[in-house]
Amino acid sequence: MGHPLVPPFRTRLVEDGILVGAYPTLRNFRYLRRQRLKLVISLTPEEPTADLAEFCEAEGVKVHYQAAERFKDGPAMFPNDFAEVVAKLIDPANHPIFMHCLDGGNVSGQVVMVLRKLMCWSMSSSTEE
């Protein structure tokens, strides 16, 4: 039997074609390969590691790096950065997408909240998610 499929920590489907999770490691690449991704969005303080960049290149997956501070209190990115990332998320030509931050919850969660606001979700519903 082959190696198990191991998704990155906190991986979840937020919309058709949009997966969100934590920073992928080598053991997650088999799972990501199965997703047939077109785009990986990295919301991290530093550019993607060589392992992730090489994986994406070998699989023909585009990478969009958006500098994002480690989560503290408040937004991790500037408003125009959120807008740029959300524009990529809502473009069906980019699907399927895997968007990640360091822990799969805080920074990527802020982007998902912006997406949900665009979809006219209530603040309480998008915060609860």
Side-chain angles (χ1 to χ4, degrees), residues 60-72:
V61 177
K62 295 178 190 170
V63 177
H64 175 78
Y65 165 68
Q66 181 59 60
E69 296 300 318
R70 291 183 184 275
F71 180 75
K72 295 182 180 120

Side-chain angles (χ1 to χ4, degrees), residues 8-14 19-24 41 43-44 71 98-112 129:
F9 185 60
R10 292 188 176 142
T11 294
R12 63 210 178 276
L13 183 68
V14 296
L19 285 165
V20 176
Y23 202 105
I41 299 175
L43 308 172
T44 54
F71 180 75
F98 179 71
M99 177 175 69
H100 71 88
C101 58
L102 295 175
D103 69 359
N106 292 318
V107 179
S108 57
Q110 289 179 1
V111 173
V112 172
E129 183 185 29

Side-chain angles (χ1 to χ4, degrees), residues 28-93:
N28 308 130
F29 290 170
R30 185 166 179 259
Y31 171 85
L32 293 177
R33 184 177 294 115
R34 288 275 180 103
Q35 304 309 310
R36 297 193 169 112
L37 300 171
K38 289 185 182 176
L39 178 63
V40 168
I41 299 175
S42 292
L43 308 172
T44 54
E46 298 176 10
E47 292 196 31
T49 61
D51 287 339
L52 181 56
E54 289 168 10
F55 167 78
C56 289
E57 184 177 340
E59 297 297 318
V61 177
K62 295 178 190 170
V63 177
H64 175 78
Y65 165 68
Q66 181 59 60
E69 296 300 318
R70 291 183 184 275
F71 180 75
K72 295 182 180 120
D73 287 329
M77 299 185 301
F78 292 107
N80 60 327
D81 298 332
F82 279 105
E84 184 178 345
V85 172
V86 169
K88 291 190 179 305
L89 290 176
I90 64 174
D91 183 351

